[in-house]
Amino acid sequence: MGRGLSRLWKDNAGGEGLFCGNFGALRGLFPVCRKSWHARSYTLSSSLEFQIACPENEEGVKWNKNQEDYCFLNARKGDMLCCPFQCDYCWHVNLMHRSARDCYTGDAILLGYIRRVNLDMMWSREPSTVGNHLKNLVKGRDMSLELGLEPISLSMEPWPAGDTCGFQVAIEIIRASQRPGQNAKDDLSEEEKHLC
């Protein structure tokens, strides 16, 4: 586990924290990552707009599964325990082979796309799945501590610098979805949709 992450797991009983998988680790010549958030404060960048489609039934009626308004817009308790999370800045290093520059607009835009892909990864799991996973991990950890055992160490090793899982492709897909005409069918009448 990344230096300090196993300790954080023991101390982070409610799973509220969202810590980069590279937290406290040295990766090459890049600065040690110290990025962490309260889960609800890891939110979508306001500088980029993304369409969030609501589920529909066969007749096209939108329905809501009683999910809250923040769906897909921020992280949740337990997300870091359910998906391999690297912070925006570490992904910037992976893709650009340099640290992000705060004053560079291009870096800020790329960081926004990275955040959107990270949130999409987290929200690929239903809230109940994330909640149950967290509850079971906390219960197991607490039982180990009651018995005087060291809690099971969650494998969250630092990742090598570089894109080893197609993250850049995910960014390209998200970017393509923002191009004009990609979601235009939503604005057409039924007759016009059949002409497309």
Side-chain angles (χ1 to χ4, degrees), residues 10-196:
K10 291 176 196 168
D11 297 340
N12 188 16
E16 298 280 351
L18 185 66
F19 295 87
C20 179
N22 301 317
F23 188 89
L26 184 62
R27 296 188 318 144
L29 300 175
F30 301 106
V32 172
C33 180
R34 300 269 185 227
K35 302 291 184 194
S36 63
W37 295 261
H38 184 278
R40 293 282 173 111
S41 68
Y42 187 77
T43 59
L44 186 61
S45 170
S46 60
S47 64
L48 297 172
E49 289 188 28
F50 299 94
Q51 179 185 14
I52 299 175
C54 296
E56 299 177 354
N57 65 14
E58 297 80 33
E59 291 85 35
V61 176
K62 295 186 190 295
W63 58 281
N64 188 340
K65 293 171 31 175
N66 293 330
Q67 292 181 344
E68 299 177 36
D69 293 335
Y70 66 85
C71 286
F72 309 106
L73 300 176
N74 61 279
R76 304 160 296 186
K77 256 173 62 166
D79 271 331
M80 118 174 201
L81 303 172
C82 292
C83 76
F85 175 70
Q86 290 185 69
C87 74
D88 314 346
Y89 296 91
C90 284
W91 269 116
H92 191 281
V93 165
N94 293 345
L95 297 168
M96 300 297 289
H97 310 290
R98 63 172 175 76
S99 297
R101 296 175 291 213
D102 293 333
C103 61
Y104 186 57
T105 304
D107 286 357
I109 291 169
L110 181 56
L111 289 169
Y113 283 104
I114 291 169
R115 174 85 44 116
R116 175 73 270 167
V117 172
N118 267 338
L119 288 169
D120 283 354
M121 275 195 311
M122 293 173 193
W123 278 94
S124 68
R125 290 158 184 83
E126 285 288 325
S128 59
T129 302
V130 174
N132 287 333
H133 185 66
L134 173 61
K135 182 177 73 174
N136 289 331
L137 285 171
V138 170
K139 185 169 39 172
R141 187 206 54 209
D142 291 347
M143 285 189 286
S144 291
L145 291 173
E146 286 173 9
L147 296 170
L149 299 170
E150 187 73 17
I152 292 174
S153 179
L154 302 176
S155 179
M156 293 179 206
E157 299 296 327
W159 284 272
D163 184 4
T164 59
C165 63
F167 204 87
Q168 181 174 341
V169 174
I171 291 172
E172 291 167 357
I173 291 169
I174 294 288
R175 175 64 185 110
S177 74
Q178 292 179 306
R179 291 204 161 161
Q182 293 298 312
N183 300 304
K185 281 192 174 185
D186 295 339
D187 300 327
L188 301 176
S189 68
E190 285 303 313
E191 295 81 22
E192 291 170 320
K193 287 180 185 178
H194 292 297
L195 297 174
C196 294

